[in-house]
Amino acid sequence: GVKDCHSNCHAPCKMEKTMDNEKFKSCVAFQYTSKRVTLRSAQDRDFLLKRMKDTACWFLVDEDGGDSAPDVVLSNERPFRFQNHQIMEWAFVWICESAAAGQSVWAAKSDLMNLRFPAEVTLCDHSDQDTCKECGHHRKYHFHDDKIWCEE
């Protein structure tokens, strides 16, 4: 681990116990890179909807590899630029609870159509799977074993 970093990036975790941190790329602490954007108008929303479409996806019920459940979410098959952000293929749209009537959701087209402007949304892609989204350290400093950290 990193000296003086006592972050338990998300616990309890049921992922396989391993020192192979390459597997952490599928962990929610590493999986998505968030890019916050503001939809200021129907034109901004329509720009996204021309590049993204409703797609049936399987998500884990919990962050620790629990059973999966299908959901329909917006996703893109090709990279694009939006508000100075490069968005990789297979990104998803996350709507925070303040914009989504009290709950945070992976968005489908109908969710975007119901937003009032201006609305902040987050575009999540796989552009950086080496930085932990919880503690900010590189993936190489993470491990998954019964011991969480050790100071010398």
Side-chain angles (χ1 to χ4, degrees):
V2 176
K3 184 170 178 51
D4 297 326
C5 178
H6 300 289
S7 177
N8 193 357
C9 296
H10 68 90
C13 184
K14 298 175 189 159
M15 283 183 66
E16 160 191 8
K17 304 291 186 213
T18 180
M19 295 301 281
D20 177 10
N21 64 18
E22 184 70 18
K23 293 183 178 186
F24 291 154
K25 285 185 176 186
S26 64
C27 170
V28 292
F30 292 91
Q31 193 165 20
Y32 297 110
T33 300
S34 300
K35 300 163 185 182
R36 291 192 76 141
V37 298
T38 301
L39 302 180
R40 293 180 181 86
S41 65
Q43 184 177 358
D44 284 345
R45 179 196 60 216
D46 293 345
F47 180 91
L48 282 183
L49 291 176
K50 285 180 184 173
R51 286 150 183 83
M52 304 183 88
K53 64 179 182 178
D54 279 345
T55 307
C57 293
W58 289 82
F59 287 94
L60 298 176
V61 170
D62 63 43
E63 60 202 19
D64 302 314
D67 294 332
S68 56
D71 209 353
V72 175
V73 296
L74 282 170
S75 188
N76 57 309
E77 293 182 358
R78 292 187 175 83
F80 65 93
R81 286 196 67 75
F82 184 65
Q83 295 181 358
N84 298 319
H85 294 287
Q86 181 64 34
I87 310 302
M88 292 179 63
E89 63 274 357
W90 305 115
F92 298 118
V93 178
W94 180 259
I95 299 177
C96 64
E97 68 180 66
S98 61
Q103 66 181 45
S104 299
V105 296
W106 289 115
K109 179 180 179 179
S110 61
D111 298 311
L112 254 61
M113 296 303 290
N114 291 327
L115 289 177
R116 291 179 23 192
F117 304 111
E120 284 197 8
V121 300
T122 303
L123 301 173
C124 302
D125 67 16
H126 296 282
S127 59
D128 179 9
Q129 290 181 282
D130 287 328
T131 304
C132 179
K133 309 310 183 265
E134 300 298 323
C135 72
H137 294 116
H138 193 278
R139 182 173 43 85
K140 69 183 176 185
Y141 297 115
H142 289 74
F143 57 91
H144 196 272
D145 204 349
D146 291 330
K147 303 260 187 233
I148 296 173
W149 61 73
C150 175
E151 277 194 42
E152 295 181 17

